[in-house]
Amino acid sequence: MDGFERRTKESKPVLAICYDFDKTLSPDNMQAQGYLQAIDYENQNEFWAESTELAREYDMDSTLAWMFLMLRRARGKEIFRRDMLERYGSRVKLYPGVREWFGRMRDYGNAGGVIVEHYILSSGLKEMIEGTPVAGEFEKIYASSFYYDEDGVAIWPAQVVNYTGKTQYLFRISKGVLDANDDAVNDYFSPDSIRVPFRNMVYIGDSETDIPCMKLVNSYGGHSIGVYDPGTEDRERVYKMMADNRIRYFAPADYSEGSELDRLVRLIIDRTAVNERLEEIHFAGKNESCGGDKDK
């Protein structure tokens, strides 16, 4: 096993709910909720414009560009440490109902014979997400992060997650090969040994940067959900994603009990329970007809 975390298929089906973070679980970009103001950006648009220009000028990955800019502009204002980022993460606002959502979905799944797991797939900063009060709810947080020296000061990017790179983590979740550096994600798995088939994945996001993950989940029979701010009621993005067949559903980013999103995901859990019982019958018959050879 090489010390890597790997999970194998359980007797119960697993439904993996995967989330973007900014504007999906939180109403704004995490950096703009205290940190950018502390490094003299009163308007976050100035930061993103400067980051975009930096990426364009030096042909940089856009995520690397804003990570570099966060680090550089902190000089003389903040000591760029992990605990500093976690402190700012603790101030990040969450949409209604987010804190109670994860446990409620797990409980509902358990009652119906489905293991519900939650994962973050974000281009934002892992350290800031780890500072939020819901960090412990996730099986894994896949997000960009820094490498720190012996004093805990950030000196180099450790992981960079851009919008296309997010898709690799869906394959890791599917196969139960959760560590980012575990090459076993490339191994062959027979269809009936896949821990989380893509049909048992939900991807929840808010914008075009989520489209590669949404498209992948959709193409294998999973469930992609576009969310929009319930405060502004601006549905322009989700309408476009629906028109372009990027999402199957959309709902306000209200995670409260009884909300539209709550009812929708409960229906997906119900469907998973029934569908996986049918899949078990299918694979049992297929294995019997092939003389027990699962790979035929």
Side-chain angles (χ1 to χ4, degrees):
M1 291 282 289
D2 303 319
F4 290 120
E5 180 183 0
R6 298 175 188 165
R7 300 183 182 182
T8 55
K9 188 173 182 179
E10 287 89 349
S11 58
K12 295 180 180 180
V14 178
L15 180 72
I17 308 179
C18 306
Y19 309 81
D20 182 33
F21 190 88
D22 293 337
K23 301 182 182 178
T24 295
L25 295 177
S26 174
D28 206 347
N29 295 311
M30 62 184 73
Q31 301 93 333
Q33 300 183 55
Y35 179 77
L36 293 184
Q37 292 82 355
I39 60 173
D40 296 337
Y41 286 99
E42 290 304 320
N43 184 338
Q44 66 164 307
N45 292 334
E46 297 174 11
F47 174 82
W48 297 116
E50 189 174 341
S51 168
T52 299
E53 181 57 32
L54 185 68
R56 182 180 297 114
E57 181 178 357
Y58 293 100
D59 199 22
M60 294 175 68
D61 178 271
S62 59
T63 301
L64 280 170
W66 64 252
M67 290 176 74
F68 170 78
L69 200 56
M70 283 185 69
L71 191 59
R72 184 178 70 178
R73 289 297 294 265
R75 294 171 186 167
K77 302 178 183 69
E78 287 278 5
I79 299 176
F80 205 94
R81 296 168 52 93
R82 175 187 292 274
D83 55 4
M84 178 271 289
L85 292 172
E86 290 178 353
R87 185 174 75 251
Y88 281 107
S90 70
R91 303 174 187 176
V92 168
K93 295 179 181 178
L94 301 171
Y95 274 127
V98 166
R99 293 193 185 203
E100 299 78 29
W101 164 267
F102 307 102
R104 189 170 69 249
M105 290 300 106
R106 280 193 294 266
D107 290 345
Y108 187 81
N110 285 335
V114 176
I115 300 169
V116 174
E117 297 181 343
H118 304 281
Y119 296 85
I120 287 286
L121 278 67
S122 172
S123 295
L125 279 179
K126 182 179 182 181
E127 294 89 338
M128 294 187 79
I129 297 170
E130 288 176 336
T132 67
V134 295
E137 302 285 359
F138 304 105
E139 304 296 319
K140 276 286 187 179
I141 298 174
Y142 294 115
S144 303
S145 62
F146 286 97
Y147 167 71
Y148 300 87
D149 66 16
E150 62 275 9
D151 297 316
V153 178
I155 58 175
W156 198 261
Q159 290 287 347
V160 177
V161 178
N162 56 35
Y163 67 98
T164 53
K166 285 183 181 182
T167 56
Q168 71 149 305
Y169 301 109
L170 294 177
F171 287 99
R172 292 191 177 280
I173 294 166
S174 177
K175 294 182 176 182
V177 182
L178 298 182
D179 284 277
N181 294 308
D182 190 349
D183 291 338
V185 71
N186 297 314
D187 292 352
Y188 172 77
F189 288 68
S190 62
D192 61 340
S193 67
I194 293 288
R195 183 172 186 265
V196 187
F198 276 92
R199 64 179 178 269
N200 292 351
M201 282 193 183
V202 180
Y203 187 89
I204 303 178
D206 70 285
S207 69
E208 292 81 0
T209 60
D210 299 304
I211 284 175
C213 286
M214 291 171 168
K215 184 176 180 181
L216 180 61
V217 168
N218 281 353
S219 66
Y220 287 97
H223 311 273
S224 54
I225 304 173
V227 293
Y228 59 89
D229 191 323
T232 66
E233 287 282 332
D234 184 355
R235 307 186 187 198
E236 182 179 353
R237 286 182 173 178
V238 295
Y239 282 170
K240 185 178 188 306
M241 289 191 288
M242 178 65 82
D244 292 342
N245 295 314
R246 306 305 192 185
I247 55 176
R248 291 182 58 83
Y249 319 98
F250 60 82
D254 180 353
Y255 296 80
S256 304
E257 187 168 9
S259 68
E260 185 177 341
L261 187 60
D262 179 85
R263 296 194 303 271
L264 174 59
V265 174
R266 287 172 185 257
L267 285 172
I268 293 172
I269 293 171
D270 293 342
R271 175 175 173 171
T272 300
V274 174
N275 192 58
E276 290 311 298
R277 286 199 288 272
L278 291 171
E279 288 296 314
E280 287 177 7
I281 296 169
H282 164 69
F283 281 118
K286 188 173 183 179
N287 290 337
E288 179 180 338
S289 66
C290 294
D293 187 348
K294 298 180 181 180
D295 294 338
K296 287 185 179 178

